Amino acid sequence: MVTLSKKERLEQIIIPTPFAVGDVNVYLLMGDAVSLVDVGPNTPEAWVALERGLAAHGLTPGDIDQILLTHHHIDHYGLASRIQEIKGARLYCHPLSEMFVRRDEEKLKRAVDYFEQLYLLHGVPERVASQAIGHKKLYDDFGSTAEIHGWLKGGEGLPGHEEWEIYHMPGHSQDHLCFYERDQKILLGGDHLIKHISSNAILEAPQADVERPKTLIQYRDSLKKCLRMDIEKVYSGHGEPIEEVSSLIENRLERQEQRADAILDLMQRGEKTAWEISIAMFGERLKEEMSLILSEVIGHLDLLLEQGRVQTIQRDQRLYYQG
Ligand SMILES: [Zn+2]
Ligand SMILES: [Zn+2]
């Protein structure tokens, strides 16, 4: 796909997923080390596609020296343990990926409880709020328990690939990393930037005893960080590579502002919970995509709060927003 230097090559392998997002792209980076950037979900179909993709470059899963994760979502890391089982490939990820990748049941349970409370606070009916558990089940079905050999925090070089720098880009997930190659100005963007869909700034439970991360605000900051970088091409976790990087980012930032305005408009007819706003904006889709929609709505409410355009009132253990 791309020859980066005399000793380094980058190849894309497309892996199917059972999720609405469709295929996931994993990247084979061959330099001083043979690395996979993301690996795909833990399904038999994904494994076959990975084996086939590696075979096209004369490799097998046993030839992988290391796995570098952009983030902990199961479509990106699920197959890690199956690869490690063969010859113990090293795995590097952000410290905030740990509870998912090592499957810390206690922390995962705490996150589920946190979401249930958060949903109730935002006006989600009790019987619906318990669906928060569904997210954990996805991890049980398509994730895995993998070994971790080192952390990637951002600011340092990529192990085994000295031309690459690591950037921490929180927003889509708290642990999200992008990898940047200086010479050809290529970014392995994970789910930070996708051409055909706008990435969701997904709500996450705080891992320490701190306030909930304001994911959309973080995501916008990370997008702006990308705007300041000199990027020729982004290879994403899903879909086609992106060449018009700046205009895509500006478009995404503008859409978020428009959505915030639309939410503010809804509040002109009186105070509302995030749940009521979600029903008004997304209707039936809420049944299928509750957690993504609530991330979207609460994220934009965080933005409006930060801009001083709304205020909150807490009554009967529920949070209402007023424009
Ligand atoms: Zn993701
Ligand atoms: Zn993804």
Side-chain angles (χ1 to χ4, degrees), residues 21 24 71 73 75-76 172 191 194 237-238:
V21 69
V24 64
H71 64 304
H73 291 162
D75 47 337
H76 297 258
H172 171 68
D191 285 359
I194 299 171
H238 304 274

Side-chain angles (χ1 to χ4, degrees), residues 134-146:
H135 185 66
K136 184 176 172 296
K137 192 168 177 313
L138 274 184
Y139 276 80
D140 293 339
D141 292 349
F142 303 107
S144 65
T145 307

